Amino acid sequence: MKIKTKLFLGIGLLFAMLLVLGLTSGLFIQRLSADTKNILADNYNSVEFARKMLQAFNNDSLETEEIKVFEENLARQEKNITETGEQDLTEKLVSDYAVLKKNPGDVNQMRVIRTDVSNIMLLNMQAIQIKEKFAEQTASNAIFWISIAGTVCFIIALTLLFNLPGNIANPIRELTASIKQIADRNYSQRLHFKGTDEFSDLASSFNTMAEKLEEYQQSNIEKLMMEKKRIEALINNMKDPVIGLDQEGKVLFMNEMAFKISGLSAEKVIGRPLQTIAIENDLIRSLAKDIFAEPGAPATPKTPLKIYADGRESYFEEQIIPIRIVPTGESEERAIGTVLVLQNITTYKELDFAKTNFIATISHELKTPISSIKMGLQLLENRQVGPLNEEQQNLVNSIGEDAGRLLKITGELLNMTQVETGSIQLTVSPASVKEIVDYALHANQSAAESRQIKLDVKLPEQDTRVLADKDKTAWVLNNLVSNAIRYSHEHDTVSIEVAQQGDQIQFSVRDTGYGIAPEYQDRIFDRYFRVPGIKREGTGLGLSISKEFIEAQGGRIMLRSEIGVGSVFSFSLKRA
Ligand code: ADP
């Protein structure tokens, strides 16, 4: 049944019953009032007329006034005949009164008239008693029917009260819950309302909608599956190993290459946390270390991973790409996982090896002839060989400078190849700080003089010793002093200071030269980096080699610089 019909019937029935109740009550009230009116009009008046007539006949003689009262009431009584037999009694009274009127002093006739009046009074009083019984009957009938109508109304109202709200609210509640399910993408949700009311129409519309959504989702899933397969095929065909993780670090996918180099299989990894796999697999362990490094922890310098795969040594550079998206309907970006790409750099690495070997060979081969040239020049400058004229002396000087420069470059290149191949040979032992500083001073003496730069030295009082590779440390200090001289203005002062700081010895070289702009300070220790626009000759290798030499000895190298003010390069090593 339709809700509208249910409401119509329920409320309509209640209304009808209230109407019945009202009508019944009205009817009975009217009946009771009619009964009362009857008693009053029909009988009470007759009793009253009779009483007044009897009063007028109280005395045995009739006075004019009393006659008038009697006749008036008699006339009224004649018009108020309501009971059976009352007509006869009244007519008898009228005729008896007519006889009395002829003979007013007849006491017997008076007595007869009194009896007549009493009879009329009695008849009416009996009628009152009968009608009272009728009225009582009507009143109890009224109570009976009103109670029945009231009870029926109460039952209907109670039934409506208990059933109607539930009938309307329950399906609405069920519908709300189902809509929520649909909103949560549970498109298999259906409504099952029985009957033929509006809610079952609503349920069937809802079910159609859910069915269509399910169908739409299915078709979308097929499309998505197709796209997924396409992307999987692309990733699988990539030469670089790729590993995808969800936000909890569980493996979502791994391409063929990743399986090949790790020696793992899909069953062992998909859906498992990377950290669990790391326990059994060396490669995954080293990758997991970088992915799950504590945020804010110092980043370890990334060295290429050397992996033996496909019958040869391969080199991979690790790239960790955090994946962040803004979910539909949201405004905040959310991390949904990480993609790890191992870029195969074997070819570059092989080329780099070839280049390093080539540089090492060339530098090594050049060093000997350059040294011979320098020796030859020293011989030429010797007075015993013979005096040189001014022109010859100038030529010898410039050949000497060029040879020195060449020797410096070949030296730097050789050191660089040592650094690149990871074959720095260190001989760490207690070394005199003074000797190291003296070496740097001596090596830079003539360069400083030619630019009229004053070298200022400040050493600890007693001969302090440092735990270091003397040659490499002297080479670093020499390089810093040489830079300070080259990148200063003429007539400037370069200060070399060695100070003890706890168990460390700090070497500082301060200049008042060009300074280095903040944006270049991070890259100043990078290989081949040179501040753009600098006109001085150089290779951009000195500082990077210095850093490698100092760090290889467990020390630290630092820079403080301000453009136009000057720079302070310092390094610290353990005290002996
Ligand atoms: P090179 O001096 O051969 O170019 P380095 O590695 O020693 O190579 O130095 C790298 C670069 O750092 C230099 O090219 C120069 O631009 C800058 N630099 C080094 N030392 C100083 C200094 N004391 N003052 C200003 N710039 C400097």
Side-chain angles (χ1 to χ4, degrees):
M1 198 192 288
K2 300 254 180 236
I3 300 175
K4 197 177 156 192
T5 324
K6 264 188 209 167
L7 277 173
F8 186 76
L9 279 182
I11 296 171
L13 201 63
L14 190 64
F15 183 74
M17 284 317 294
L18 281 173
L19 206 67
V20 168
L21 187 68
L23 285 176
T24 318
S25 315
L27 189 76
F28 281 109
I29 287 167
Q30 204 209 347
R31 264 199 214 164
L32 277 174
S33 125
D35 284 352
T36 320
K37 243 190 234 156
N38 278 348
I39 293 170
L40 267 178
D42 299 354
N43 308 105
Y44 178 78
N45 284 347
S46 294
V47 171
E48 184 64 14
F49 301 150
R51 187 186 64 81
K52 281 187 180 155
M53 284 192 280
L54 277 179
Q55 224 172 19
F57 270 74
N58 242 358
N59 301 323
D60 285 346
S61 59
L62 278 171
E63 299 298 324
T64 343
E65 188 59 32
E66 287 161 343
I67 289 168
K68 196 181 159 204
V69 171
F70 184 86
E71 283 179 358
E72 255 176 34
N73 283 294
L74 182 61
R76 284 183 190 150
Q77 171 58 28
E78 278 183 292
K79 286 180 196 146
N80 192 31
I81 307 294
T82 55
E83 307 301 321
T84 6
E86 197 175 2
Q87 181 72 39
D88 295 344
L89 285 175
T90 307
E91 275 171 11
K92 185 172 178 291
L93 178 65
V94 171
S95 67
D96 285 344
Y97 182 64
V99 173
L100 183 72
K101 249 192 152 178
K102 282 180 194 152
N103 189 8
D106 191 345
V107 179
N108 281 336
Q109 192 60 21
M110 277 187 171
R111 219 171 282 140
V112 170
I113 286 171
R114 268 196 214 106
T115 311
D116 290 344
V117 174
S118 297
N119 285 341
I120 292 170
M121 199 183 229
L122 197 67
L123 182 76
N124 276 293
M125 281 175 73
Q126 278 168 352
I128 285 174
Q129 270 176 354
I130 292 163
K131 284 182 183 172
E132 196 191 348
K133 275 203 186 101
F134 270 120
E136 265 172 24
Q137 184 63 39
T138 312
S140 59
N141 278 353
I143 291 168
F144 177 75
W145 287 113
I146 289 170
S147 311
I148 288 200
T151 312
V152 172
C153 281
F154 179 74
I155 290 169
I156 293 172
L158 215 63
T159 317
L160 286 179
L161 187 74
F162 280 110
N163 290 326
L164 211 58
N167 263 344
I168 295 170
N170 291 348
I172 291 178
R173 201 178 311 126
E174 217 175 303
L175 178 70
T176 313
S178 301
I179 289 172
K180 275 187 190 150
Q181 289 284 325
I182 294 281
D184 288 344
R185 294 201 188 85
N186 179 10
Y187 299 130
S188 59
Q189 182 68 24
R190 295 287 182 275
L191 279 176
H192 303 284
F193 293 152
K194 287 189 194 94
T196 53
D197 59 11
E198 287 89 338
F199 283 119
S200 30
D201 290 348
L202 184 72
S204 85
S205 306
F206 176 90
N207 292 344
T208 316
M209 176 196 77
E211 230 164 78
K212 291 208 165 145
L213 281 173
E214 204 172 11
E215 210 176 274
Y216 175 72
Q217 191 201 26
Q218 283 300 327
S219 66
N220 261 5
I221 283 176
E222 265 165 39
K223 233 190 258 170
L224 286 175
M225 287 307 286
M226 194 62 213
E227 286 306 315
K228 186 175 173 261
K229 282 206 176 110
R230 207 196 306 272
I231 291 168
E232 272 174 3
L234 277 173
I235 294 174
N236 269 337
N237 283 305
M238 274 170 74
K239 289 256 170 353
D240 296 333
V242 182
I243 303 173
L245 305 176
D246 67 8
Q247 66 270 40
E248 279 149 18
K250 285 188 189 148
V251 178
L252 289 175
F253 61 84
M254 239 163 120
N255 70 353
E256 296 293 335
M257 199 59 192
F259 284 128
K260 196 183 267 179
I261 65 157
S262 63
L264 290 164
S265 61
E267 307 81 64
K268 279 191 183 163
V269 292
I270 305 297
R272 284 182 70 204
L274 196 75
Q275 274 166 322
T276 316
I277 306 165
I279 300 170
E280 308 144 14
N281 190 287
D282 292 344
L283 170 67
I284 301 293
R285 194 175 316 130
S286 72
L287 296 177
K289 222 189 296 160
D290 293 332
I291 296 177
F292 301 110
E294 288 285 309
T300 43
K302 277 192 184 157
T303 45
L305 288 166
K306 191 155 83 172
I307 298 163
Y308 191 80
D310 254 356
R312 62 192 279 234
E313 263 181 359
S314 299
Y315 290 86
F316 294 93
E317 208 162 68
E318 178 190 321
Q319 251 183 300
I320 299 166
I321 309 162
I323 309 293
R324 303 183 69 82
I325 56 152
V326 179
T328 321
E330 290 180 25
S331 55
E332 295 271 305
E333 213 183 39
R334 210 192 306 155
I336 57 155
T338 313
V339 170
L340 199 97
V341 182
L342 294 175
Q343 202 182 354
N344 194 335
I345 52 160
T346 316
T347 325
Y348 306 109
K349 203 73 190 166
E350 282 167 356
L351 283 172
D352 198 45
F353 273 142
K355 176 215 76 184
T356 310
N357 281 338
F358 177 73
I359 293 175
T361 317
I362 295 286
S363 323
H364 192 77
E365 292 303 318
L366 284 176
K367 242 183 146 180
T368 326
I370 298 168
S371 299
S372 309
I373 294 171
K374 283 204 97 175
M375 265 171 61
L377 288 173
Q378 267 169 12
L379 282 174
L380 270 178
E381 278 179 326
N382 194 335
R383 299 265 163 203
Q384 283 166 357
V385 178
L388 299 174
N389 62 29
E390 204 186 319
E391 207 173 328
Q392 285 167 331
Q393 185 61 52
N394 285 343
L395 268 170
V396 165
N397 284 349
S398 93
I399 295 170
E401 271 170 31
D402 285 344
R405 245 194 310 270
L406 269 174
L407 211 56
K408 185 176 180 270
I409 292 172
T410 46
E412 277 183 359
L413 285 173
L414 259 180
N415 282 335
M416 192 267 294
T417 56
Q418 265 190 39
V419 167
E420 284 199 345
T421 52
S423 56
I424 305 173
Q425 303 280 328
L426 289 175
T427 327
V428 178
S429 59
S432 159
V433 165
K434 192 169 176 310
E435 276 177 35
I436 294 171
V437 175
D438 280 349
Y439 172 81
L441 278 177
H442 179 72
N444 288 288
Q445 201 70 51
S446 60
E449 275 168 15
S450 70
R451 303 201 66 218
Q452 284 145 42
I453 285 173
K454 191 179 159 218
L455 294 176
D456 196 19
V457 182
K458 216 184 266 173
L459 293 177
E461 270 173 17
Q462 71 271 52
D463 185 22
T464 315
R465 298 175 89 74
V466 64
L467 205 58
D469 180 308
K470 197 168 112 188
D471 290 345
K472 297 223 161 33
T473 310
W475 188 95
V476 173
L477 190 65
N478 170 31
N479 183 60
L480 296 184
V481 176
S482 148
N483 279 353
I485 294 169
R486 283 192 299 139
Y487 301 114
S488 285
H489 311 283
E490 287 192 349
H491 305 289
D492 273 1
T493 302
V494 168
S495 318
I496 303 151
E497 191 181 334
V498 183
Q500 193 175 312
Q501 285 185 346
D503 65 340
Q504 300 280 314
I505 302 288
Q506 180 158 314
F507 294 77
S508 312
V509 179
R510 179 191 303 272
D511 66 61
T512 48
Y514 311 150
I516 299 161
E519 64 265 34
Y520 301 126
Q521 290 184 13
D522 276 353
R523 296 163 61 199
I524 208 80
F525 296 104
D526 287 356
R527 224 167 281 168
Y528 303 110
F529 178 78
R530 308 201 68 220
V531 172
I534 291 288
K535 299 244 163 41
R536 305 238 164 255
E537 279 175 5
T539 55
L541 284 172
L543 285 178
S544 80
I545 295 168
S546 301
K547 187 170 187 276
E548 297 283 349
F549 278 180
I550 294 302
E551 285 179 356
Q553 296 177 70
R556 236 156 56 86
I557 190 161
M558 294 144 290
L559 159 70
R560 268 185 296 125
S561 184
E562 207 177 316
I563 193 102
V565 175
S567 314
V568 185
F569 280 91
S570 48
F571 63 88
S572 52
L573 289 167
K574 263 231 160 84
R575 215 185 96 187

